[in-house]
Amino acid sequence: GRNLVQRIEKMIDEGFVTRDFGDVLNHVRKIGNLGAHYTDERLTHEEVEQALKFTTQILRNLYEVPGELELLQKSASEDSAS
């Protein structure tokens, strides 16, 4: 609910995601709420797939990509030193 909205805003404010990506996260949050709570509103397969795709991308951007970039930079530094 409100707590997740605040966390998304904090991620934007701290530069972890752009405002546009924050808007996408809020959309995914709303889709998640529909899936987690009983409602007469139905989601399409495409909406759920898109939400999963964006969720996967944000997790990669926040947790995997920084480590991959660090390895790439380390490799580049070693290559230029030899």
Side-chain angles (χ1 to χ4, degrees), residues 36-72:
H37 306 288
Y38 179 76
T39 177
D40 289 334
E41 191 170 343
R42 298 282 178 223
L43 297 170
T44 66
H45 181 77
E46 290 78 19
E47 289 172 313
V48 173
E49 285 289 326
Q50 186 179 40
L52 178 60
K53 182 172 104 176
F54 282 122
T55 301
T56 301
Q57 187 60 46
I58 190 66
L59 291 172
R60 269 197 42 72
N61 287 355
L62 291 173
Y63 297 104
E64 293 179 359
V65 171
E68 292 170 359
L69 289 173
E70 185 178 324
L71 288 174
L72 184 63

Side-chain angles (χ1 to χ4, degrees), residues 1-8:
R2 187 71 197 142
N3 193 23
L4 187 52
V5 171
Q6 291 170 338
R7 289 180 183 193
I8 291 170

